[in-house]
Amino acid sequence: MGYCELKAKKGLIRVSSEQYNGKIKNISITGDFMVFPEDVIWELEKDLLGVEINEKFINEIVTKHLSKAKLLGSTINDFVDVIICSLKGE
Amino acid sequence: MSKLRVIMFETPHDGYFNIAFEEALARAKGCNLIDDTLRFFRNKNAVIIGYFQKAEEEVNLDYLKKIDAQLIRRPTGGGAVYHDLGNLNYSIAVSNNRSKYISPVDYIFSELIKGPINALNSLGFDTKLENINDIVVNNRKVSGTAASTSWNALFFHGAMLLNTDMERLSSVLKISQKKLIDKGVSSVKYRVTNLFEINNNISVEDIIKAFVNSYKELLSYDDVYYSIPNRKEIELANLLYDEKYSKEEWNFNRVSHSKFKQLEEQINNICNER
């Protein structure tokens, strides 16, 4: 089980994750950040399941989902960094 | 002729219904069932967590139980807040057309957020916007705000500390060390304050009047009228209460709006009945 949190310009992003055989088994992105439309976070979590733990792949998936959203006080890189940090078990 | 409707509709003992009504208000505006509406309400004893938050990460659940407070997830992002009768909540739902030349989210956090700021300034408070969505008086946060653009309306709401029990607030909310370090303080109670501690000569009525005048001017309404919820708003709120806000699944498990498919159909039916 990996956990990491990142303080963005506005809001804290927390990621809890589990991996199995080098792939993402579970992932949960929580915190007091603001993203619009909100449900893009659940779509992102769903799309990350089963993905190989590879920074490039993860960056692509996060960017695919969050580039169509409006982030208030956080960046796509904030989300990429904290997800990868969690998967590294840091 | 554009009119601002004002409602003071609250169920302080039932925070679940109060928050269900928040979504109902946004939905009703999105379905064109109501005029633009400004609402005020209070909860007696509740913690309201943001849409993306996990209850156990943000709330001291043992203390929550000890003080017999309700825990309710709201439909918008942002952080957890403690509500008692010393906290005045405000929300406004306006037409999407307002943000024709700017993104809806930018409109909310550049224009609608001026409502509380102008209101407090008109009462003599030295009020500023800080950190995107915090309303600050004398360098202390007095109101946090949040928003949604999900239901064909612009929905903006906030909680304003007037005379809240700060001991309870700081005991029930868990604040991440990272956030406290970022703010340069050691505890949440050192960065928030009650408005009545700054000036106890104003009343709740003064604040409400100032909000109403502020939004009337800000959004150029021709008139303001006071009202009560209509039948369809109550129907929407009852549905949202029964199917979502009164459920442990919603409040504790962090599930998305889209999980409630049947509820969505029922809401659409109410919206489309003419």
Side-chain angles (χ1 to χ4, degrees), chain A residues 5 10 29 32 39 45, chain B residues 51 133 150 178-179 254:
Chain A
E5 58 181 44
K10 179 73 198 183
I29 305 165
D32 61 357
D39 284 8
E45 286 177 356
Chain B
Y51 185 40
N133 67 333
S150 288
K178 278 197 177 172
K179 288 200 94 166
R254 193 189 155 271

Side-chain angles (χ1 to χ4, degrees), chain B residues 138-201:
Chain B
N138 295 356
N139 297 319
R140 296 276 196 99
K141 180 173 168 180
V142 296
S143 180
T145 62
S148 184
T149 56
S150 288
W151 302 295
N152 297 321
L154 307 179
F155 179 74
F156 169 70
H157 61 179
M160 183 157 294
L161 295 164
L162 302 183
N163 192 22
T164 288
D165 184 332
M166 288 293 177
E167 281 306 315
R168 278 196 172 192
L169 179 150
S170 59
S171 300
V172 79
L173 300 179
K174 287 183 184 173
I175 304 292
S176 149
Q177 284 305 307
K178 278 197 177 172
K179 288 200 94 166
L180 291 175
I181 291 164
D182 190 61
K183 306 265 180 200
V185 292
S186 57
S187 159
V188 63
K189 65 184 168 187
Y190 296 114
R191 66 181 179 96
V192 298
T193 197
N194 279 310
L195 269 183
F196 289 175
E197 272 182 35
I198 300 168
N199 179 357
N200 62 8
N201 290 321

Side-chain angles (χ1 to χ4, degrees), chain A residues 1 3-17 27-43 45-46 69-74 79 82 85, chain B residues 50-54 57-58 75-80 103 105-106 108-109 130-134 141 145-150 174-179 182-183 254-259:
Chain A
M1 184 84 175
Y3 175 81
C4 198
E5 58 181 44
L6 180 146
K7 173 73 186 78
K9 183 182 170 206
K10 179 73 198 183
L12 192 74
I13 309 167
R14 306 175 192 262
V15 175
S16 304
S17 61
I27 189 152
S28 150
I29 305 165
T30 63
D32 61 357
F33 54 87
M34 283 195 268
V35 171
F36 305 87
E38 295 86 353
D39 284 8
V40 75
I41 292 295
W42 279 266
E43 288 160 21
E45 286 177 356
K46 197 174 155 196
K70 174 86 180 170
L71 310 183
L72 200 70
S74 60
F79 281 88
V82 68
C85 165
Chain B
Y51 185 40
F52 303 114
Q53 293 188 302
K54 259 187 199 163
E57 286 177 346
E58 312 296 338
T76 55
S103 90
V105 175
D106 288 338
I108 290 171
F109 288 101
E130 274 187 14
N131 205 15
I132 297 171
N133 67 333
D134 290 340
K141 180 173 168 180
T145 62
S148 184
T149 56
S150 288
K174 287 183 184 173
I175 304 292
S176 149
Q177 284 305 307
K178 278 197 177 172
K179 288 200 94 166
D182 190 61
K183 306 265 180 200
R254 193 189 155 271
V255 293
S256 70
H257 294 299
S258 58
K259 182 105 190 267

Side-chain angles (χ1 to χ4, degrees), chain B residues 20-44:
Chain B
F21 195 85
E22 289 286 87
E23 186 176 333
L25 188 63
R27 299 274 198 168
K29 183 64 220 174
C31 299
N32 214 15
L33 299 174
I34 55 173
D35 287 331
D36 288 0
T37 298
L38 176 63
R39 177 195 181 204
F40 299 95
F41 72 98
R42 295 163 307 160
N43 279 313
K44 186 164 185 277

Side-chain angles (χ1 to χ4, degrees), chain A residues 18-34:
Chain A
E18 276 182 88
Q19 44 189 289
Y20 182 74
N21 278 348
K23 291 183 177 172
I24 300 173
K25 186 183 168 198
N26 267 314
I27 189 152
S28 150
I29 305 165
T30 63
D32 61 357
F33 54 87
M34 283 195 268

